[in-house]
Amino acid sequence: MRLKAVMALAMAVTLTACGLNSVPTAEENAKARWADVQADYQRRANLIPNLVSTVKASAQSEDKILSDVVNARARATQVNVSTGDLTNPDKMQQFAQAQGNLNGSLSRLLATVESYPDLKSQGNFQTLMSQLEGTENRIAIAIRDYNSAVQDYNTTIRTFPDAIGAKVFYGSKPMVPYQATTPNADVAPTVDFGNMN
């Protein structure tokens, strides 16, 4: 009889502690990784005006491409996702779409550089391009880390015994991983400026 009482008490203690620490820990980790994604996108948004100014001075004929980059940057910085929106698939998709549009504009700009070697010889342009490339790498790593944290969180709130605490104490909902929304994002873009022979 005493063994049954001890077992029942042990089960009760185990079940009451389900997810009390692991769920908020996983959630806060995912939110911190999302902050890293936003910081790297902000870094890119801050670099673009300098890059555009440098390129404008050397490539007056490519104003449309530069305008597209500036406009895409403006649209990308208008879409914000707070940590409260991480469970909202629509909000996450809007953010990803805005960033994808900016990626497309940057790809066209970088293709222009390949067509105009004199741009590549400028020290300032090279520095800015290197910074932009580094930022793109940081963004990719931050997105990977965020998606990994979201996977850990979503797994935590769906597996026993943490699922009990996730539902009972926190009302946890799955977070949305970041996904590219650019159509055919895995295919290099074809560039046609229309004014090149």
XYZ file of all heavy atoms in Angstrom, residues 29-134:
809
model
N 14.119 30.929 -26.405
C 15.214 30.681 -27.345
C 14.765 30.988 -28.768
O 15.490 31.643 -29.528
C 15.707 29.239 -27.232
C 16.901 28.991 -28.113
O 17.821 29.794 -28.192
N 16.896 27.861 -28.801
N 13.583 30.555 -29.145
C 13.070 30.834 -30.490
C 12.888 32.337 -30.700
O 13.222 32.874 -31.754
C 11.752 30.094 -30.724
N 12.380 33.028 -29.693
C 12.198 34.481 -29.801
C 13.548 35.186 -29.937
O 13.676 36.147 -30.701
C 11.443 35.015 -28.585
C 9.971 34.651 -28.587
C 9.283 35.179 -27.339
C 7.800 34.836 -27.314
N 7.152 35.338 -26.092
N 14.548 34.727 -29.215
C 15.888 35.321 -29.315
C 16.473 35.093 -30.703
O 17.099 35.995 -31.281
C 16.811 34.736 -28.247
N 16.255 33.919 -31.258
C 16.763 33.652 -32.613
C 16.028 34.522 -33.638
O 16.606 34.945 -34.626
C 16.605 32.170 -32.968
C 17.387 31.183 -32.102
C 18.900 31.306 -32.099
N 19.441 32.462 -31.453
C 19.605 32.614 -30.120
N 19.249 31.680 -29.284
N 20.137 33.718 -29.633
N 14.729 34.797 -33.403
C 13.989 35.677 -34.302
C 14.563 37.096 -34.234
O 14.693 37.778 -35.251
C 12.504 35.693 -33.985
C 11.760 36.605 -34.912
C 11.150 37.779 -34.605
C 11.595 36.436 -36.319
N 10.608 38.347 -35.734
C 10.869 37.542 -36.800
C 11.993 35.460 -37.227
C 10.536 37.698 -38.146
C 11.656 35.619 -38.560
C 10.940 36.727 -39.005
N 14.943 37.520 -33.057
C 15.563 38.843 -32.912
C 16.861 38.907 -33.709
O 17.178 39.949 -34.312
C 15.821 39.145 -31.435
N 17.614 37.800 -33.766
C 18.831 37.761 -34.572
C 18.507 37.919 -36.057
O 19.215 38.628 -36.779
C 19.575 36.434 -34.360
C 20.144 36.284 -32.958
O 20.260 37.303 -32.243
O 20.466 35.135 -32.582
N 17.445 37.259 -36.510
C 17.029 37.392 -37.917
C 16.704 38.853 -38.217
O 17.172 39.425 -39.211
C 15.805 36.491 -38.227
C 15.238 36.792 -39.609
C 16.170 35.016 -38.111
N 15.917 39.481 -37.359
C 15.536 40.874 -37.578
C 16.753 41.798 -37.549
O 16.842 42.731 -38.342
C 14.510 41.310 -36.537
C 13.160 40.657 -36.754
C 12.134 41.124 -35.734
O 12.388 41.130 -34.534
N 10.979 41.521 -36.215
N 17.692 41.550 -36.654
C 18.888 42.385 -36.565
C 19.713 42.295 -37.848
O 20.220 43.312 -38.351
C 19.739 41.973 -35.359
N 19.825 41.091 -38.406
C 20.595 40.942 -39.635
C 19.884 41.566 -40.831
O 20.528 42.154 -41.708
C 20.923 39.471 -39.892
C 21.998 38.967 -38.938
O 22.832 39.773 -38.495
O 21.992 37.758 -38.631
N 18.561 41.483 -40.871
C 17.830 42.173 -41.939
C 17.972 43.687 -41.785
O 18.092 44.416 -42.770
C 16.352 41.775 -41.944
C 16.075 40.522 -42.743
C 15.362 39.465 -42.202
C 16.505 40.398 -44.058
C 15.100 38.318 -42.931
C 16.257 39.264 -44.791
C 15.552 38.219 -44.234
O 15.299 37.102 -44.962
N 17.964 44.188 -40.551
C 18.146 45.626 -40.332
C 19.541 46.062 -40.757
O 19.716 47.127 -41.347
C 17.915 45.983 -38.856
C 17.988 47.473 -38.580
C 16.931 48.257 -39.339
O 15.759 47.931 -39.283
N 17.338 49.281 -40.071
N 20.534 45.237 -40.488
C 21.903 45.549 -40.911
C 21.945 45.682 -42.427
O 22.565 46.612 -42.959
C 22.858 44.446 -40.443
C 24.309 44.696 -40.788
C 25.186 43.571 -40.212
N 26.583 43.921 -40.266
C 27.371 43.681 -41.305
N 26.877 43.084 -42.378
N 28.640 44.024 -41.277
N 21.293 44.773 -43.119
C 21.257 44.851 -44.575
C 20.541 46.110 -45.027
O 21.008 46.814 -45.919
C 20.568 43.616 -45.162
C 20.487 43.678 -46.679
C 19.926 42.436 -47.293
N 18.496 42.336 -47.062
C 17.742 41.378 -47.565
N 18.271 40.428 -48.301
N 16.457 41.345 -47.318
N 19.420 46.424 -44.397
C 18.668 47.623 -44.776
C 19.507 48.881 -44.560
O 19.397 49.835 -45.335
C 17.368 47.707 -43.968
N 20.341 48.890 -43.560
C 21.198 50.044 -43.307
C 22.337 50.146 -44.318
O 22.792 51.239 -44.641
C 21.770 49.988 -41.889
C 20.703 50.158 -40.829
O 19.601 50.630 -41.102
N 21.010 49.745 -39.618
N 22.819 49.028 -44.822
C 23.905 49.035 -45.804
C 23.444 49.469 -47.193
O 24.206 50.076 -47.940
C 24.510 47.633 -45.931
C 25.490 47.198 -44.867
C 25.867 45.738 -45.074
C 26.727 48.062 -44.876
N 22.209 49.161 -47.529
C 21.737 49.393 -48.893
C 21.840 50.852 -49.319
O 22.312 51.124 -50.431
C 20.322 48.826 -49.089
C 20.416 47.299 -49.098
C 19.688 49.329 -50.373
C 19.085 46.596 -49.102
N 21.440 51.846 -48.514
C 21.578 53.236 -48.983
C 23.014 53.591 -49.341
O 23.255 54.294 -50.336
C 21.078 54.071 -47.801
C 20.188 53.158 -47.042
C 20.784 51.787 -47.211
N 23.984 53.104 -48.588
C 25.389 53.373 -48.908
C 25.793 52.691 -50.206
O 26.498 53.275 -51.033
C 26.290 52.895 -47.771
C 26.086 53.698 -46.518
O 25.817 54.896 -46.573
N 26.200 53.055 -45.380
N 25.351 51.466 -50.369
C 25.652 50.738 -51.592
C 25.043 51.443 -52.798
O 25.711 51.652 -53.813
C 25.112 49.307 -51.497
C 25.250 48.431 -52.736
C 26.704 48.266 -53.105
C 24.597 47.087 -52.493
N 23.806 51.841 -52.681
C 23.125 52.519 -53.786
C 23.824 53.831 -54.121
O 24.040 54.150 -55.295
C 21.637 52.744 -53.449
C 20.976 53.661 -54.449
C 20.915 51.399 -53.417
N 24.226 54.610 -53.132
C 24.919 55.877 -53.382
C 26.219 55.657 -54.131
O 26.550 56.394 -55.065
C 25.210 56.597 -52.059
O 24.020 56.959 -51.434
N 26.948 54.621 -53.742
C 28.212 54.325 -54.405
C 27.992 53.903 -55.843
O 28.680 54.360 -56.758
C 28.956 53.209 -53.640
O 29.170 53.651 -52.300
C 30.278 52.890 -54.274
N 27.022 53.042 -56.053
C 26.763 52.550 -57.402
C 26.194 53.658 -58.289
O 26.547 53.770 -59.455
C 25.821 51.324 -57.362
C 25.439 50.893 -58.757
C 26.496 50.189 -56.628
N 25.336 54.506 -57.742
C 24.753 55.598 -58.527
C 25.820 56.496 -59.117
O 25.700 56.956 -60.250
C 23.807 56.440 -57.663
C 22.378 56.045 -57.754
C 21.508 57.060 -57.053
C 20.056 56.691 -57.202
N 19.186 57.621 -56.521
N 26.848 56.727 -58.365
C 27.909 57.605 -58.843
C 28.606 57.019 -60.063
O 29.130 57.763 -60.885
C 28.915 57.852 -57.731
N 28.617 55.717 -60.199
C 29.341 55.071 -61.289
C 28.446 54.479 -62.372
O 28.925 54.121 -63.432
C 30.213 53.956 -60.730
O 31.117 54.476 -59.811
N 27.185 54.331 -62.123
C 26.302 53.650 -63.082
C 25.006 54.430 -63.265
O 23.935 53.956 -62.923
C 26.016 52.241 -62.615
N 25.116 55.629 -63.795
C 23.934 56.470 -63.976
C 22.881 55.797 -64.852
O 21.691 56.025 -64.680
C 24.342 57.816 -64.579
C 25.229 58.650 -63.681
C 24.516 59.076 -62.411
O 23.329 59.326 -62.414
N 25.259 59.141 -61.316
N 23.299 54.954 -65.767
C 22.344 54.339 -66.693
C 21.495 53.253 -66.046
O 20.535 52.788 -66.644
C 23.088 53.760 -67.893
O 23.926 52.717 -67.462
N 21.827 52.869 -64.846
C 21.089 51.788 -64.195
C 20.177 52.299 -63.080
O 19.919 51.603 -62.099
C 22.060 50.738 -63.652
C 22.927 50.108 -64.719
C 22.129 49.481 -65.845
O 21.019 48.962 -65.595
O 22.598 49.512 -66.978
N 19.643 53.500 -63.257
C 18.799 54.103 -62.224
C 17.589 53.251 -61.870
O 17.177 53.207 -60.715
C 18.320 55.495 -62.651
C 19.377 56.552 -62.401
O 20.272 56.306 -61.578
O 19.291 57.619 -63.027
N 16.997 52.568 -62.851
C 15.815 51.773 -62.562
C 16.136 50.651 -61.580
O 15.391 50.421 -60.629
C 15.208 51.184 -63.828
C 13.967 50.342 -63.513
C 13.329 49.772 -64.736
C 12.088 48.973 -64.465
N 11.843 48.435 -63.161
N 17.257 49.984 -61.798
C 17.641 48.897 -60.901
C 17.873 49.451 -59.499
O 17.412 48.885 -58.504
C 18.913 48.191 -61.414
C 18.610 47.499 -62.740
C 19.418 47.172 -60.395
C 19.825 47.019 -63.460
N 18.577 50.568 -59.427
C 18.851 51.161 -58.125
C 17.559 51.621 -57.449
O 17.384 51.454 -56.239
C 19.823 52.320 -58.278
C 21.200 51.917 -58.823
C 22.051 53.149 -59.089
C 21.896 50.976 -57.868
N 16.645 52.178 -58.241
C 15.351 52.590 -57.681
C 14.579 51.385 -57.164
O 13.938 51.456 -56.111
C 14.518 53.322 -58.731
O 15.147 54.515 -59.098
N 14.650 50.280 -57.908
C 13.982 49.054 -57.457
C 14.534 48.585 -56.113
O 13.781 48.160 -55.239
C 14.150 47.928 -58.492
C 13.325 48.153 -59.744
O 12.468 49.065 -59.740
O 13.557 47.421 -60.730
N 15.856 48.679 -55.958
C 16.471 48.271 -54.693
C 15.996 49.171 -53.561
O 15.605 48.696 -52.488
C 18.020 48.291 -54.794
C 18.658 48.103 -53.432
C 18.501 47.217 -55.752
N 16.001 50.471 -53.802
C 15.576 51.423 -52.770
C 14.115 51.181 -52.404
O 13.751 51.143 -51.225
C 15.795 52.879 -53.239
C 15.134 53.862 -52.301
C 17.279 53.178 -53.349
N 13.257 51.003 -53.416
C 11.833 50.766 -53.151
C 11.601 49.440 -52.434
O 10.775 49.356 -51.521
C 11.036 50.815 -54.452
C 11.001 52.208 -55.045
O 11.159 53.197 -54.339
N 10.834 52.289 -56.357
N 12.313 48.400 -52.846
C 12.165 47.098 -52.195
C 12.640 47.172 -50.743
O 12.026 46.586 -49.849
C 12.958 46.023 -52.952
N 13.718 47.917 -50.513
C 14.203 48.099 -49.140
C 13.142 48.804 -48.303
O 12.863 48.422 -47.167
C 15.492 48.905 -49.123
C 15.950 49.230 -47.704
C 16.970 50.365 -47.694
N 17.292 50.736 -46.343
C 16.699 51.716 -45.674
N 15.733 52.412 -46.235
N 17.052 52.002 -44.445
N 12.531 49.841 -48.861
C 11.501 50.581 -48.119
C 10.328 49.668 -47.770
O 9.834 49.684 -46.637
C 11.022 51.782 -48.939
N 9.894 48.853 -48.728
C 8.791 47.931 -48.452
C 9.194 46.875 -47.424
O 8.411 46.508 -46.558
C 8.311 47.266 -49.746
C 7.511 48.214 -50.650
C 6.885 47.474 -51.820
N 7.854 46.831 -52.689
C 8.498 47.417 -53.697
N 8.273 48.685 -53.973
N 9.350 46.740 -54.433
N 10.420 46.399 -47.521
C 10.887 45.354 -46.600
C 10.961 45.876 -45.166
O 10.679 45.139 -44.222
C 12.254 44.819 -47.034
N 11.324 47.139 -45.003
C 11.438 47.667 -43.641
C 10.078 48.060 -43.068
O 9.977 48.298 -41.862
C 12.391 48.883 -43.585
O 11.931 49.890 -44.486
C 13.812 48.477 -43.949
N 9.039 48.105 -43.885
C 7.703 48.433 -43.394
C 6.989 47.226 -42.792
O 6.057 47.389 -42.016
C 6.835 49.015 -44.518
C 7.251 50.400 -44.928
C 6.440 50.904 -46.117
O 5.658 50.169 -46.705
N 6.651 52.154 -46.470
N 7.404 46.032 -43.157
C 6.764 44.825 -42.645
C 7.539 44.363 -41.417
O 8.692 43.960 -41.518
C 6.740 43.699 -43.711
C 6.094 42.448 -43.144
C 6.007 44.162 -44.953
N 6.908 44.456 -40.270
C 7.543 44.063 -39.015
C 6.815 42.868 -38.418
O 5.607 42.769 -38.502
C 7.520 45.218 -38.015
C 8.356 46.386 -38.498
O 9.488 46.199 -38.902
N 7.797 47.576 -38.468
N 7.594 41.991 -37.798
C 7.037 40.830 -37.118
C 7.528 40.873 -35.673
O 8.727 40.813 -35.423
C 7.494 39.516 -37.795
C 7.024 38.321 -37.002
C 6.967 39.444 -39.214
N 6.604 41.005 -34.755
C 6.965 40.987 -33.343
C 6.976 39.542 -32.861
O 6.502 38.633 -33.552
C 5.962 41.807 -32.524
O 4.705 41.146 -32.502
N 7.503 39.338 -31.665
C 7.539 37.967 -31.137
C 6.133 37.412 -30.944
O 5.935 36.210 -31.002
C 8.320 37.897 -29.809
O 7.742 38.824 -28.884
C 9.784 38.221 -30.024
N 5.148 38.275 -30.780
C 3.767 37.817 -30.665
C 3.206 37.300 -31.984
O 2.207 36.586 -32.008
N 3.858 37.668 -33.100
C 3.398 37.247 -34.424
C 4.034 35.940 -34.892
O 3.741 35.469 -35.983
C 3.721 38.335 -35.468
C 2.979 39.629 -35.215
O 1.830 39.567 -34.742
O 3.552 40.703 -35.505
N 4.910 35.355 -34.088
C 5.639 34.167 -34.526
C 4.737 32.947 -34.702
O 5.144 31.967 -35.309
C 6.772 33.843 -33.549
C 7.874 34.896 -33.488
C 8.919 34.503 -32.450
C 8.520 35.123 -34.836
N 3.507 33.009 -34.204
C 2.567 31.905 -34.409
C 1.564 32.237 -35.516
O 0.658 31.458 -35.768
C 1.799 31.600 -33.099
O 1.104 32.775 -32.672
C 2.746 31.136 -32.011
N 1.736 33.381 -36.189
C 0.824 33.828 -37.230
C 1.440 33.569 -38.611
O 2.308 34.315 -39.057
C 0.536 35.328 -37.051
C -0.466 35.851 -38.064
O -0.650 35.295 -39.144
N -1.110 36.942 -37.711
N 0.992 32.511 -39.310
C 1.580 32.180 -40.612
C 1.455 33.310 -41.635
O 2.364 33.527 -42.432
C 0.788 30.946 -41.072
C 0.132 30.408 -39.857
C -0.045 31.557 -38.913
N 0.359 34.064 -41.625
C 0.175 35.141 -42.592
C 1.199 36.249 -42.393
O 1.776 36.758 -43.356
C -1.243 35.724 -42.499
C -2.304 34.726 -42.927
O -1.985 33.829 -43.738
O -3.456 34.832 -42.445
N 1.419 36.632 -41.158
C 2.375 37.698 -40.847
C 3.794 37.259 -41.218
O 4.564 38.034 -41.785
C 2.280 38.041 -39.361
C 2.960 39.314 -39.001
C 2.166 40.507 -39.476
C 2.721 41.738 -38.776
N 2.342 42.966 -39.401
N 4.119 36.002 -40.930
C 5.441 35.486 -41.281
C 5.624 35.453 -42.795
O 6.689 35.764 -43.308
C 5.647 34.091 -40.685
C 5.692 34.069 -39.161
S 7.110 34.936 -38.487
C 8.412 33.789 -38.917
N 4.563 35.100 -43.515
C 4.654 35.053 -44.969
C 4.815 36.454 -45.554
O 5.572 36.650 -46.498
C 3.427 34.370 -45.559
C 3.533 34.187 -47.060
C 2.379 33.384 -47.642
O 1.482 32.978 -46.940
N 2.424 33.163 -48.933
N 4.113 37.442 -45.005
C 4.270 38.828 -45.465
C 5.709 39.288 -45.290
O 6.276 39.918 -46.181
C 3.343 39.766 -44.685
C 1.887 39.636 -45.023
C 1.022 40.483 -44.084
O 1.497 41.128 -43.159
N -0.278 40.466 -44.330
N 6.296 38.982 -44.138
C 7.675 39.376 -43.877
C 8.617 38.696 -44.872
O 9.480 39.339 -45.477
C 8.070 39.016 -42.442
C 9.447 39.468 -42.069
C 9.669 40.759 -41.617
C 10.536 38.605 -42.163
C 10.941 41.186 -41.268
C 11.813 39.021 -41.824
C 12.011 40.310 -41.364
N 8.443 37.400 -45.056
C 9.303 36.648 -45.970
C 9.152 37.154 -47.403
O 10.137 37.254 -48.139
C 8.984 35.160 -45.886
N 7.940 37.504 -47.804
C 7.701 38.011 -49.158
C 8.419 39.343 -49.366
O 9.061 39.551 -50.403
C 6.196 38.185 -49.402
C 5.849 38.644 -50.813
C 6.146 37.590 -51.853
O 5.847 36.421 -51.658
N 6.728 37.981 -52.955
N 8.328 40.242 -48.400
C 8.996 41.543 -48.513
C 10.509 41.361 -48.610
O 11.170 42.016 -49.427
C 8.638 42.423 -47.321
N 11.059 40.463 -47.798
C 12.501 40.221 -47.847
C 12.883 39.540 -49.164
O 13.932 39.818 -49.733
C 12.942 39.385 -46.646
C 12.730 40.065 -45.310
C 13.402 41.413 -45.182
O 14.460 41.662 -45.748
N 12.771 42.317 -44.456
N 12.034 38.655 -49.664
C 12.297 37.991 -50.945
C 12.317 38.978 -52.099
O 13.148 38.863 -53.008
N 11.417 39.962 -52.078
C 11.418 40.988 -53.123
C 12.711 41.793 -53.094
O 13.268 42.135 -54.134
C 10.214 41.917 -52.968
C 8.911 41.222 -53.298
O 8.885 40.194 -53.975
N 7.811 41.762 -52.802
N 13.184 42.092 -51.905
C 14.446 42.817 -51.770
C 15.596 41.953 -52.282
O 16.494 42.444 -52.975
C 14.674 43.231 -50.318
C 15.956 43.997 -50.024
C 16.095 45.221 -50.926
C 15.977 44.419 -48.562
N 15.564 40.668 -51.976
C 16.604 39.761 -52.491
C 16.657 39.793 -54.014
O 17.722 39.805 -54.606
C 16.351 38.330 -52.031
C 16.650 38.115 -50.572
O 17.265 38.941 -49.927
N 16.186 36.993 -50.048
N 15.486 39.805 -54.660
C 15.441 39.849 -56.121
C 16.050 41.125 -56.677
O 16.799 41.091 -57.656
N 15.748 42.250 -56.052
C 16.314 43.521 -56.498
C 17.824 43.535 -56.328
O 18.557 44.019 -57.188
C 15.698 44.687 -55.713
O 14.332 44.789 -55.990
N 18.290 42.988 -55.213
C 19.735 42.930 -54.988
C 20.409 42.020 -56.001
O 21.517 42.306 -56.466
C 20.019 42.451 -53.564
C 19.718 43.462 -52.462
C 19.865 42.815 -51.093
C 20.603 44.679 -52.575
N 19.755 40.939 -56.377
C 20.322 40.037 -57.384
C 20.504 40.749 -58.712
O 21.525 40.586 -59.384
C 19.425 38.814 -57.581
O 19.395 38.034 -56.419
N 19.505 41.547 -59.087
C 19.626 42.304 -60.340
C 20.750 43.331 -60.251
O 21.493 43.538 -61.211
C 18.296 42.965 -60.685
C 17.244 41.974 -61.169
C 15.994 42.644 -61.696
N 15.257 43.372 -60.681
C 14.451 42.810 -59.783
N 14.291 41.505 -59.769
N 13.805 43.541 -58.911
N 20.891 43.958 -59.097
C 21.971 44.925 -58.909
C 23.329 44.239 -59.012
O 24.232 44.730 -59.682
C 21.833 45.621 -57.553
C 22.959 46.589 -57.178
C 23.011 47.747 -58.163
C 22.763 47.102 -55.767
N 23.461 43.086 -58.375
C 24.728 42.365 -58.423
C 25.045 41.898 -59.841
O 26.202 41.885 -60.251
C 24.701 41.187 -57.454
C 24.602 41.573 -55.978
C 24.480 40.329 -55.103
C 25.767 42.421 -55.545
N 24.026 41.549 -60.606
C 24.240 41.163 -62.000
C 24.734 42.359 -62.807
O 25.538 42.207 -63.730
C 22.954 40.608 -62.596
N 24.281 43.549 -62.462
C 24.741 44.762 -63.144
C 26.238 44.937 -62.926
O 26.973 45.319 -63.838
C 23.994 46.000 -62.595
O 22.606 45.815 -62.813
C 24.445 47.265 -63.287
N 26.692 44.645 -61.749
C 28.105 44.780 -61.430
C 28.936 43.885 -62.335
O 30.006 44.278 -62.797
C 28.356 44.445 -59.948
C 29.834 44.407 -59.638
C 27.656 45.461 -59.069
N 28.437 42.696 -62.612
C 29.163 41.784 -63.496
C 29.291 42.367 -64.898
O 30.249 42.103 -65.600
C 28.453 40.427 -63.558
C 28.404 39.688 -62.232
C 29.786 39.391 -61.680
O 30.683 39.019 -62.463
O 29.972 39.554 -60.462
N 28.322 43.177 -65.304
C 28.334 43.772 -66.639
C 29.183 45.037 -66.711
O 29.524 45.493 -67.790
C 26.907 44.119 -67.071
O 26.121 42.964 -67.096
N 29.507 45.612 -65.576
C 30.271 46.860 -65.537
C 31.498 46.669 -64.646
O 31.481 47.001 -63.467
C 29.409 48.010 -65.003
C 28.266 48.347 -65.914
C 27.014 47.782 -65.707
C 28.440 49.191 -66.995
C 25.958 48.063 -66.563
C 27.403 49.489 -67.855
C 26.163 48.921 -67.629
O 25.118 49.200 -68.470
N 32.604 46.134 -65.218
C 33.789 45.834 -64.413
C 34.369 47.047 -63.697
O 34.995 46.902 -62.660
C 34.787 45.284 -65.428
C 34.010 44.978 -66.645
C 32.750 45.769 -66.600
N 34.176 48.255 -64.248
C 34.742 49.434 -63.596
C 34.146 49.651 -62.208
O 34.779 50.221 -61.330
C 34.554 50.688 -64.457
C 33.099 50.963 -64.787
O 32.367 50.002 -65.104
O 32.693 52.139 -64.725
N 32.897 49.173 -61.974
C 32.301 49.284 -60.655
C 33.050 48.416 -59.653
O 33.253 48.800 -58.507
C 30.838 48.857 -60.673
C 29.858 49.740 -61.411
C 28.468 49.115 -61.365
C 29.837 51.131 -60.820
N 33.462 47.244 -60.107
C 34.115 46.310 -59.199
C 35.485 46.814 -58.768
O 35.994 46.407 -57.742
C 34.243 44.943 -59.855
C 32.890 44.299 -60.054
C 32.854 42.892 -60.545
C 34.004 42.290 -61.188
N 33.758 40.975 -61.739
N 36.107 47.706 -59.542
C 37.437 48.177 -59.204
C 37.429 49.252 -58.127
O 38.469 49.587 -57.582
C 38.149 48.700 -60.460
O 37.488 49.872 -60.926
N 36.307 49.818 -57.835
C 36.234 50.861 -56.823
C 36.332 50.247 -55.430
O 35.574 49.352 -55.076
C 34.920 51.630 -56.930
C 34.797 52.415 -58.208
C 33.502 53.198 -58.234
O 32.753 53.206 -57.274
N 33.254 53.854 -59.336
N 37.258 50.771 -54.642
C 37.480 50.246 -53.302
C 36.249 50.324 -52.421
O 35.914 49.366 -51.720
N 35.553 51.454 -52.445
C 34.362 51.603 -51.605
C 33.286 50.613 -51.999
O 32.624 50.028 -51.142
C 33.793 53.021 -51.696
C 34.662 54.027 -50.990
O 35.465 53.674 -50.135
N 34.508 55.290 -51.346
N 33.120 50.430 -53.297
C 32.100 49.493 -53.761
C 32.447 48.080 -53.323
O 31.594 47.340 -52.851
C 31.955 49.572 -55.282
C 30.854 48.698 -55.794
C 29.536 49.103 -55.680
C 31.118 47.470 -56.363
C 28.503 48.288 -56.131
C 30.100 46.662 -56.814
C 28.794 47.073 -56.693
N 33.731 47.719 -53.467
C 34.157 46.382 -53.049
C 33.900 46.167 -51.561
O 33.438 45.107 -51.150
C 35.643 46.171 -53.356
C 35.916 45.861 -54.811
C 35.255 44.568 -55.235
O 34.151 44.581 -55.773
N 35.901 43.459 -54.991
N 34.197 47.181 -50.762
C 33.975 47.075 -49.324
C 32.496 46.878 -49.021
O 32.119 46.014 -48.228
C 34.509 48.328 -48.600
O 35.910 48.437 -48.860
C 34.255 48.253 -47.110
N 31.666 47.686 -49.659
C 30.235 47.572 -49.420
C 29.693 46.236 -49.906
O 28.861 45.621 -49.245
C 29.485 48.732 -50.083
C 29.689 50.073 -49.393
C 29.170 51.200 -50.261
C 29.011 50.098 -48.040
N 30.179 45.769 -51.042
C 29.725 44.473 -51.552
C 30.135 43.358 -50.598
O 29.369 42.432 -50.342
C 30.295 44.210 -52.953
C 29.717 45.106 -54.026
S 27.923 45.037 -54.130
C 27.666 43.340 -54.543
N 31.336 43.453 -50.060
C 31.801 42.452 -49.105
C 30.930 42.472 -47.850
O 30.559 41.408 -47.329
C 33.261 42.742 -48.748
O 33.706 41.857 -47.761
N 30.593 43.672 -47.388
C 29.728 43.790 -46.215
C 28.339 43.217 -46.507
O 27.751 42.538 -45.661
C 29.594 45.262 -45.794
C 30.837 45.826 -45.168
C 31.105 45.199 -43.813
O 30.198 44.990 -43.032
N 32.362 44.891 -43.538
N 27.825 43.493 -47.691
C 26.509 42.989 -48.056
C 26.523 41.471 -48.159
O 25.614 40.795 -47.666
C 26.042 43.616 -49.374
C 24.602 43.361 -49.766
C 23.641 43.839 -48.690
C 24.290 44.056 -51.082
N 27.566 40.928 -48.762
C 27.677 39.470 -48.856
C 27.762 38.844 -47.461
O 27.111 37.841 -47.176
C 28.920 39.097 -49.659
C 29.110 37.601 -49.797
C 30.371 37.247 -50.563
O 31.111 38.137 -50.987
O 30.619 36.033 -50.717
N 28.552 39.466 -46.583
C 28.645 38.975 -45.211
C 27.305 39.031 -44.502
O 26.938 38.119 -43.743
